[in-house]
Amino acid sequence: MKQKTIAARYYLNTSYLSTIFTAHTEQRFVDYLTVVKLKRAAFLLKKTRLKVIEIAARLHYKDVGYFSRLFKKKYGITPLEFRNQEQTDYQI
């Protein structure tokens, strides 16, 4: 879900939503959303047989390369390496 969609749902300006979200959580909305999406990706990698490109698309990443770079930045390994490892930490 996008910030714009959430703001519209609650009749808020996107800038205001961003400001109050940061004030209450001490992190930017976009950073929080990225973490949630990457945790969901980790779950899907472990619990489904979906291809990485399909997971990226489900999470609204148009560029699978960008998705893979974000994933590697968070977890230190590629999505495929993550899928093949034993231990996980993907809870939302």
Side-chain angles (χ1 to χ4, degrees), residues 8-87:
R9 180 177 288 174
Y10 295 102
Y11 306 103
L12 299 171
N13 178 290
T14 55
S15 296
Y16 181 68
L17 173 61
S18 182
T19 300
I20 61 171
F21 188 89
T22 303
H24 288 279
T25 65
E26 298 182 359
Q27 64 180 325
R28 295 181 328 145
F29 180 86
V30 66
D31 296 334
Y32 173 79
L33 186 58
T34 299
V35 168
V36 170
K37 288 167 70 172
L38 291 175
K39 286 183 179 184
R40 181 67 179 159
F43 174 82
L44 292 171
L45 285 164
K46 287 295 188 177
K47 300 296 182 182
T48 71
R49 294 183 184 264
L50 293 170
K51 295 177 182 178
V52 173
I53 194 167
E54 293 170 321
I55 292 171
R58 280 189 181 202
L59 297 173
H60 305 284
Y61 287 103
K62 295 177 185 174
D63 182 348
V64 73
Y66 176 68
F67 164 74
S68 294
R69 285 191 302 277
L70 284 176
F71 192 93
K72 187 170 183 175
K73 183 177 179 182
K74 175 166 178 48
Y75 291 102
I77 54 178
T78 67
L80 287 178
E81 290 169 335
F82 184 88
R83 174 175 270 164
N84 295 326
Q85 80 176 14
E86 297 285 325
Q87 239 178 359

